[in-house]
Amino acid sequence: SGNGNIIATVQASIQKHQTTVNAYAWAIEIGWIDEMKYNQVGSNILQLVDEGVRLYYNQKLDDIAFYGFVKQGVANAYGLINNAQIASQLSQVKFTDAATTPKQIVDTLNTLLAGIAQNTAYSRQYVTNHLLLPPEVYTALAQPMTITTDGGAVFQNVLEYFKANNYVKMLFGSDDLIILPVPYLKDAGTQVGGAATRRAVAYCYNEACVRMPLPMDLTRGATMFDTTSMSIKTPFVAFIGSPQFVYPITLAYMDNI
């Protein structure tokens, strides 16, 4: 009203994130005679080796994205699947067990999604849009299930049903949930009885939640001819940072699936 004297304010908290960044350098060396031989058969050996370096680089990006630099002994430089600061819970059923029903699978995954929604105060901005599963679990979701409706029985696999009836879809009307198989998750979960377990990872793919800095993407240097070794040399360099968990409550793990 015109007599009001209350001023709404917003309180902000600014924190600095320290991220480990490692430098990577590779060099390829191709004999001049070898290059001439490849040219005679219409093949470009420089292009083949260049593609090989870029393939290795992409595999390195995957490794750092999922594991961080923990395997290199860097403390707290976690990846997407092994962050000790991310909440995890144990599944009451194993998805690949013959006795596990499709309903139990759907209920377990929805429990995972519901926990993130509750932690983020049901914010549409931070809705879960990625669900990563071990390949054998992803395969288990392809098993058929029968759904009884007024029109009779409908047959779907669990994956199709879950995509259409998951918690995020019901709460926000969102079709953005992407479910992907990731081989790194096979033994990523909390140990049970001394044995590693499978892990499911749910998160919001958004730079405001989690991101991976690349101060310098893979950069190719100048190709030089070395008269001493009669070879062609090309350097490559990249700077890769470990993932930054800006808003960690938008991620959660479900182990022993």
PDB file of all heavy atoms in Angstrom, residues 111-122 126-128 202-204 249-253:
ATOM      1  N   THR A 111      12.026 -42.733  -6.314  1.00  0.00           N
ATOM      2  CA  THR A 111      12.506 -42.305  -4.997  1.00  0.00           C
ATOM      3  C   THR A 111      13.756 -41.448  -5.138  1.00  0.00           C
ATOM      4  O   THR A 111      13.928 -40.437  -4.443  1.00  0.00           O
ATOM      5  CB  THR A 111      12.806 -43.530  -4.120  1.00  0.00           C
ATOM      6  OG1 THR A 111      11.595 -44.271  -3.910  1.00  0.00           O
ATOM      7  CG2 THR A 111      13.372 -43.117  -2.768  1.00  0.00           C
ATOM      8  N   LEU A 112      14.642 -41.842  -6.048  1.00  0.00           N
ATOM      9  CA  LEU A 112      15.859 -41.080  -6.308  1.00  0.00           C
ATOM     10  C   LEU A 112      15.523 -39.682  -6.829  1.00  0.00           C
ATOM     11  O   LEU A 112      16.058 -38.675  -6.350  1.00  0.00           O
ATOM     12  CB  LEU A 112      16.730 -41.831  -7.315  1.00  0.00           C
ATOM     13  CG  LEU A 112      18.024 -41.158  -7.762  1.00  0.00           C
ATOM     14  CD1 LEU A 112      18.978 -40.949  -6.599  1.00  0.00           C
ATOM     15  CD2 LEU A 112      18.696 -41.982  -8.857  1.00  0.00           C
ATOM     16  N   LEU A 113      14.636 -39.603  -7.805  1.00  0.00           N
ATOM     17  CA  LEU A 113      14.255 -38.315  -8.387  1.00  0.00           C
ATOM     18  C   LEU A 113      13.511 -37.438  -7.384  1.00  0.00           C
ATOM     19  O   LEU A 113      13.703 -36.220  -7.333  1.00  0.00           O
ATOM     20  CB  LEU A 113      13.393 -38.534  -9.634  1.00  0.00           C
ATOM     21  CG  LEU A 113      14.021 -39.343 -10.771  1.00  0.00           C
ATOM     22  CD1 LEU A 113      13.056 -39.435 -11.943  1.00  0.00           C
ATOM     23  CD2 LEU A 113      15.330 -38.724 -11.221  1.00  0.00           C
ATOM     24  N   ALA A 114      12.651 -38.059  -6.584  1.00  0.00           N
ATOM     25  CA  ALA A 114      11.876 -37.296  -5.602  1.00  0.00           C
ATOM     26  C   ALA A 114      12.784 -36.673  -4.541  1.00  0.00           C
ATOM     27  O   ALA A 114      12.525 -35.557  -4.063  1.00  0.00           O
ATOM     28  CB  ALA A 114      10.838 -38.200  -4.942  1.00  0.00           C
ATOM     29  N   GLY A 115      13.847 -37.372  -4.170  1.00  0.00           N
ATOM     30  CA  GLY A 115      14.762 -36.832  -3.176  1.00  0.00           C
ATOM     31  C   GLY A 115      15.442 -35.562  -3.651  1.00  0.00           C
ATOM     32  O   GLY A 115      15.596 -34.596  -2.891  1.00  0.00           O
ATOM     33  N   ILE A 116      15.843 -35.532  -4.923  1.00  0.00           N
ATOM     34  CA  ILE A 116      16.475 -34.323  -5.472  1.00  0.00           C
ATOM     35  C   ILE A 116      15.469 -33.187  -5.532  1.00  0.00           C
ATOM     36  O   ILE A 116      15.778 -32.029  -5.188  1.00  0.00           O
ATOM     37  CB  ILE A 116      17.047 -34.607  -6.867  1.00  0.00           C
ATOM     38  CG1 ILE A 116      18.137 -35.666  -6.789  1.00  0.00           C
ATOM     39  CG2 ILE A 116      17.595 -33.336  -7.496  1.00  0.00           C
ATOM     40  CD1 ILE A 116      18.722 -36.052  -8.135  1.00  0.00           C
ATOM     41  N   ALA A 117      14.242 -33.476  -5.963  1.00  0.00           N
ATOM     42  CA  ALA A 117      13.220 -32.430  -6.038  1.00  0.00           C
ATOM     43  C   ALA A 117      12.955 -31.824  -4.666  1.00  0.00           C
ATOM     44  O   ALA A 117      12.806 -30.598  -4.522  1.00  0.00           O
ATOM     45  CB  ALA A 117      11.932 -33.010  -6.625  1.00  0.00           C
ATOM     46  N   GLN A 118      12.912 -32.658  -3.643  1.00  0.00           N
ATOM     47  CA  GLN A 118      12.695 -32.149  -2.292  1.00  0.00           C
ATOM     48  C   GLN A 118      13.877 -31.291  -1.836  1.00  0.00           C
ATOM     49  O   GLN A 118      13.690 -30.229  -1.237  1.00  0.00           O
ATOM     50  CB  GLN A 118      12.489 -33.318  -1.332  1.00  0.00           C
ATOM     51  CG  GLN A 118      12.194 -32.890   0.103  1.00  0.00           C
ATOM     52  CD  GLN A 118      11.945 -34.079   1.016  1.00  0.00           C
ATOM     53  OE1 GLN A 118      12.112 -35.230   0.614  1.00  0.00           O
ATOM     54  NE2 GLN A 118      11.554 -33.826   2.242  1.00  0.00           N
ATOM     55  N   ASN A 119      15.099 -31.726  -2.132  1.00  0.00           N
ATOM     56  CA  ASN A 119      16.280 -30.973  -1.714  1.00  0.00           C
ATOM     57  C   ASN A 119      16.367 -29.600  -2.380  1.00  0.00           C
ATOM     58  O   ASN A 119      16.912 -28.657  -1.806  1.00  0.00           O
ATOM     59  CB  ASN A 119      17.551 -31.768  -2.026  1.00  0.00           C
ATOM     60  CG  ASN A 119      17.689 -33.007  -1.151  1.00  0.00           C
ATOM     61  OD1 ASN A 119      17.097 -33.088  -0.086  1.00  0.00           O
ATOM     62  ND2 ASN A 119      18.460 -33.976  -1.613  1.00  0.00           N
ATOM     63  N   THR A 120      15.843 -29.488  -3.594  1.00  0.00           N
ATOM     64  CA  THR A 120      15.890 -28.223  -4.325  1.00  0.00           C
ATOM     65  C   THR A 120      14.598 -27.422  -4.188  1.00  0.00           C
ATOM     66  O   THR A 120      14.349 -26.508  -4.977  1.00  0.00           O
ATOM     67  CB  THR A 120      16.169 -28.481  -5.816  1.00  0.00           C
ATOM     68  OG1 THR A 120      15.163 -29.357  -6.349  1.00  0.00           O
ATOM     69  CG2 THR A 120      17.532 -29.111  -6.012  1.00  0.00           C
ATOM     70  N   ALA A 121      13.806 -27.771  -3.180  1.00  0.00           N
ATOM     71  CA  ALA A 121      12.550 -27.054  -2.903  1.00  0.00           C
ATOM     72  C   ALA A 121      11.616 -27.068  -4.111  1.00  0.00           C
ATOM     73  O   ALA A 121      10.904 -26.103  -4.376  1.00  0.00           O
ATOM     74  CB  ALA A 121      12.834 -25.620  -2.463  1.00  0.00           C
ATOM     75  N   TYR A 122      11.642 -28.170  -4.870  1.00  0.00           N
ATOM     76  CA  TYR A 122      10.762 -28.367  -6.025  1.00  0.00           C
ATOM     77  C   TYR A 122      10.902 -27.240  -7.050  1.00  0.00           C
ATOM     78  O   TYR A 122       9.924 -26.787  -7.640  1.00  0.00           O
ATOM     79  CB  TYR A 122       9.315 -28.510  -5.569  1.00  0.00           C
ATOM     80  CG  TYR A 122       9.125 -29.644  -4.591  1.00  0.00           C
ATOM     81  CD1 TYR A 122       9.115 -29.407  -3.212  1.00  0.00           C
ATOM     82  CD2 TYR A 122       9.002 -30.957  -5.027  1.00  0.00           C
ATOM     83  CE1 TYR A 122       8.977 -30.452  -2.301  1.00  0.00           C
ATOM     84  CE2 TYR A 122       8.865 -32.005  -4.123  1.00  0.00           C
ATOM     85  CZ  TYR A 122       8.848 -31.742  -2.768  1.00  0.00           C
ATOM     86  OH  TYR A 122       8.723 -32.781  -1.879  1.00  0.00           O
ATOM     87  N   TYR A 126      15.914 -26.287 -11.435  1.00  0.00           N
ATOM     88  CA  TYR A 126      16.928 -27.303 -11.182  1.00  0.00           C
ATOM     89  C   TYR A 126      16.369 -28.716 -11.297  1.00  0.00           C
ATOM     90  O   TYR A 126      16.819 -29.637 -10.625  1.00  0.00           O
ATOM     91  CB  TYR A 126      17.537 -27.088  -9.800  1.00  0.00           C
ATOM     92  CG  TYR A 126      18.133 -25.707  -9.614  1.00  0.00           C
ATOM     93  CD1 TYR A 126      17.650 -24.849  -8.630  1.00  0.00           C
ATOM     94  CD2 TYR A 126      19.154 -25.259 -10.440  1.00  0.00           C
ATOM     95  CE1 TYR A 126      18.192 -23.586  -8.469  1.00  0.00           C
ATOM     96  CE2 TYR A 126      19.699 -23.994 -10.291  1.00  0.00           C
ATOM     97  CZ  TYR A 126      19.214 -23.163  -9.303  1.00  0.00           C
ATOM     98  OH  TYR A 126      19.752 -21.910  -9.159  1.00  0.00           O
ATOM     99  N   VAL A 127      15.398 -28.896 -12.171  1.00  0.00           N
ATOM    100  CA  VAL A 127      14.775 -30.197 -12.331  1.00  0.00           C
ATOM    101  C   VAL A 127      15.795 -31.200 -12.879  1.00  0.00           C
ATOM    102  O   VAL A 127      16.642 -30.875 -13.717  1.00  0.00           O
ATOM    103  CB  VAL A 127      13.559 -30.099 -13.272  1.00  0.00           C
ATOM    104  CG1 VAL A 127      13.962 -29.591 -14.642  1.00  0.00           C
ATOM    105  CG2 VAL A 127      12.860 -31.449 -13.394  1.00  0.00           C
ATOM    106  N   THR A 128      15.732 -32.423 -12.388  1.00  0.00           N
ATOM    107  CA  THR A 128      16.626 -33.481 -12.872  1.00  0.00           C
ATOM    108  C   THR A 128      16.336 -33.767 -14.338  1.00  0.00           C
ATOM    109  O   THR A 128      15.190 -34.005 -14.718  1.00  0.00           O
ATOM    110  CB  THR A 128      16.424 -34.764 -12.052  1.00  0.00           C
ATOM    111  OG1 THR A 128      16.690 -34.491 -10.678  1.00  0.00           O
ATOM    112  CG2 THR A 128      17.356 -35.863 -12.536  1.00  0.00           C
ATOM    113  N   ALA A 202      21.703 -39.389 -10.749  1.00  0.00           N
ATOM    114  CA  ALA A 202      20.696 -38.461 -11.260  1.00  0.00           C
ATOM    115  C   ALA A 202      21.172 -37.043 -10.988  1.00  0.00           C
ATOM    116  O   ALA A 202      21.660 -36.747  -9.897  1.00  0.00           O
ATOM    117  CB  ALA A 202      19.344 -38.701 -10.590  1.00  0.00           C
ATOM    118  N   TYR A 203      21.044 -36.182 -11.986  1.00  0.00           N
ATOM    119  CA  TYR A 203      21.529 -34.808 -11.799  1.00  0.00           C
ATOM    120  C   TYR A 203      20.889 -33.864 -12.806  1.00  0.00           C
ATOM    121  O   TYR A 203      20.248 -34.291 -13.774  1.00  0.00           O
ATOM    122  CB  TYR A 203      23.052 -34.748 -11.916  1.00  0.00           C
ATOM    123  CG  TYR A 203      23.608 -35.043 -13.299  1.00  0.00           C
ATOM    124  CD1 TYR A 203      24.055 -34.027 -14.131  1.00  0.00           C
ATOM    125  CD2 TYR A 203      23.701 -36.357 -13.763  1.00  0.00           C
ATOM    126  CE1 TYR A 203      24.572 -34.299 -15.380  1.00  0.00           C
ATOM    127  CE2 TYR A 203      24.224 -36.643 -15.009  1.00  0.00           C
ATOM    128  CZ  TYR A 203      24.665 -35.600 -15.820  1.00  0.00           C
ATOM    129  OH  TYR A 203      25.172 -35.878 -17.068  1.00  0.00           O
ATOM    130  N   CYS A 204      21.086 -32.585 -12.559  1.00  0.00           N
ATOM    131  CA  CYS A 204      20.605 -31.544 -13.470  1.00  0.00           C
ATOM    132  C   CYS A 204      21.766 -31.093 -14.344  1.00  0.00           C
ATOM    133  O   CYS A 204      22.750 -30.533 -13.848  1.00  0.00           O
ATOM    134  CB  CYS A 204      20.041 -30.364 -12.679  1.00  0.00           C
ATOM    135  SG  CYS A 204      19.494 -28.976 -13.720  1.00  0.00           S
ATOM    136  N   ILE A 249      23.345 -30.246  -4.306  1.00  0.00           N
ATOM    137  CA  ILE A 249      22.093 -30.899  -3.925  1.00  0.00           C
ATOM    138  C   ILE A 249      21.227 -31.240  -5.137  1.00  0.00           C
ATOM    139  O   ILE A 249      20.183 -31.871  -4.999  1.00  0.00           O
ATOM    140  CB  ILE A 249      21.270 -30.043  -2.937  1.00  0.00           C
ATOM    141  CG1 ILE A 249      20.870 -28.720  -3.561  1.00  0.00           C
ATOM    142  CG2 ILE A 249      22.034 -29.822  -1.644  1.00  0.00           C
ATOM    143  CD1 ILE A 249      19.923 -27.917  -2.690  1.00  0.00           C
ATOM    144  N   THR A 250      21.680 -30.841  -6.329  1.00  0.00           N
ATOM    145  CA  THR A 250      20.950 -31.209  -7.536  1.00  0.00           C
ATOM    146  C   THR A 250      21.419 -32.551  -8.085  1.00  0.00           C
ATOM    147  O   THR A 250      20.979 -32.970  -9.156  1.00  0.00           O
ATOM    148  CB  THR A 250      21.124 -30.140  -8.625  1.00  0.00           C
ATOM    149  OG1 THR A 250      22.519 -29.989  -8.923  1.00  0.00           O
ATOM    150  CG2 THR A 250      20.555 -28.803  -8.169  1.00  0.00           C
ATOM    151  N   LEU A 251      22.310 -33.215  -7.349  1.00  0.00           N
ATOM    152  CA  LEU A 251      22.800 -34.536  -7.723  1.00  0.00           C
ATOM    153  C   LEU A 251      22.504 -35.523  -6.621  1.00  0.00           C
ATOM    154  O   LEU A 251      22.428 -35.147  -5.449  1.00  0.00           O
ATOM    155  CB  LEU A 251      24.314 -34.531  -7.972  1.00  0.00           C
ATOM    156  CG  LEU A 251      24.851 -33.741  -9.157  1.00  0.00           C
ATOM    157  CD1 LEU A 251      25.144 -32.309  -8.762  1.00  0.00           C
ATOM    158  CD2 LEU A 251      26.118 -34.402  -9.688  1.00  0.00           C
ATOM    159  N   ALA A 252      22.337 -36.790  -6.979  1.00  0.00           N
ATOM    160  CA  ALA A 252      22.137 -37.836  -5.978  1.00  0.00           C
ATOM    161  C   ALA A 252      22.517 -39.183  -6.565  1.00  0.00           C
ATOM    162  O   ALA A 252      22.455 -39.385  -7.790  1.00  0.00           O
ATOM    163  CB  ALA A 252      20.682 -37.856  -5.490  1.00  0.00           C
ATOM    164  N   TYR A 253      22.918 -40.101  -5.680  1.00  0.00           N
ATOM    165  CA  TYR A 253      23.302 -41.452  -6.082  1.00  0.00           C
ATOM    166  C   TYR A 253      22.334 -42.472  -5.478  1.00  0.00           C
ATOM    167  O   TYR A 253      21.826 -42.302  -4.378  1.00  0.00           O
ATOM    168  CB  TYR A 253      24.703 -41.797  -5.558  1.00  0.00           C
ATOM    169  CG  TYR A 253      25.817 -40.907  -6.066  1.00  0.00           C
ATOM    170  CD1 TYR A 253      26.941 -40.646  -5.269  1.00  0.00           C
ATOM    171  CD2 TYR A 253      25.784 -40.333  -7.340  1.00  0.00           C
ATOM    172  CE1 TYR A 253      27.990 -39.863  -5.713  1.00  0.00           C
ATOM    173  CE2 TYR A 253      26.820 -39.536  -7.797  1.00  0.00           C
ATOM    174  CZ  TYR A 253      27.910 -39.292  -6.985  1.00  0.00           C
ATOM    175  OH  TYR A 253      28.940 -38.509  -7.429  1.00  0.00           O
TER     176      TYR A 253
END
